[in-house]
Amino acid sequence: MSALPETMRALRLHAWGAAPELVEVPVPVPVGAQLLVRVEAAGLCHSDLHIMDAAPGQLPYELPFTLGHEVVGTVVAAGDAVDPAWLGRRAAVHGIWSCGRCRQCRRGRDNYCFELTGPIGNGIGYDGGLADYMLVPGMRQLVPADGVDPVALAPLTDAGLTAQHALRTVGADLAGATVLVIGIGGLGHLALQLLARHDPVCVVAVDPRAEARALGLRLGADAVVASTIDAAEWLEGGHHGSGADVVLDFVGSQDTMDAATQVLAPGGRIAVVGSAGGRLEVAKGGDLPRGWGVAAPFWGSAGDLADVVGLAGAGVHARTETHALSDALTAYDRLRRGLVQGRAVVVPAARTIDVEETKA
């Protein structure tokens, strides 16, 4: 491997409620079990905006730290406890830096690790991938991604991983089911691609945006409508029976969560993935149909990420637009204003902004 530079660029958050700053910092030196990854692609996420906008004391993270939790790169250096075979390999970074020792981690449920009481992982309390290089604590945080396009894969380490885990959470209920997908955005359009690999009898997707609805049809939804009211009417119209057996809510607002309860069929399942502030009251003998089930799946496990890397190699992909690291603040502004179609991805090696869409 060629010699590493002494310093690198990093987009770091220095104050709550303020924009991050692109600064020059030392390149980390891995020791022990640590690995150093040269970042090839890092996705941007609405969660980053929530972190930036947080009030002091709201989040259990210490400033400053580098943003970026959707990362793909090549291992360029490692501590003496690391298998040398990792050097030169491309990998997706699992953004949940779990302990690997607790009961949940031993069960393969490392996204629910008992030790995740403060910082969660890269870009979420620890230094992330919006930089030229990123330090990873150990081999268990990496999933090999040889031969997979890093720009295509980076957003899947969050959006694809979250969608995959949500489907796994309700997996036993998908076969032969009528499924309602609320939101055909960054996660929803990936969920539609993943659903095509299961065996639902019918998929109905909801999004108020005409362009998103057109995308939903291209991705195989049986029906695409503008509102949950329209979805309820479509389902009540005799299409595969009344109501939805599975509702995947990728918005999570009060309106969408209320609507989910109104269209749920007896024995149905609601998975709330979006975090738009809605609340759901559940009770035996309440307004939900008999046999209801509700889940709030979080991100995904390292095993889920390995599945996602395989699915990326098989053609599951996000709509992307790419930006140079020097233009990351512009990309965040586009994300904040709702101008990003699909997912924005930063390529640190790029010298100029390159906004383009990969059509799903």
Side-chain angles (χ1 to χ4, degrees), residues 129-158:
L130 285 173
D132 294 305
Y133 298 89
M134 188 182 82
L135 195 66
V136 179
M139 294 177 284
R140 62 185 308 276
Q141 275 75 42
L142 298 180
V143 173
D146 304 304
V148 183
D149 177 8
V151 172
L153 179 57
L156 298 187
T157 63
D158 182 354

Side-chain angles (χ1 to χ4, degrees), residues 172-223:
D173 299 298
L174 288 174
T178 293
V179 180
L180 177 63
V181 176
I182 302 177
I184 315 175
L187 275 71
H189 87 288
L190 290 168
L192 288 175
Q193 295 177 60
L194 297 173
L195 278 167
R197 298 170 180 272
H198 292 266
D199 192 28
V201 69
C202 176
V203 177
V204 182
V206 177
D207 201 292
R209 301 166 298 172
E211 182 180 5
R213 294 197 299 274
L215 175 61
L217 287 174
R218 294 201 300 274
L219 294 177
D222 296 279

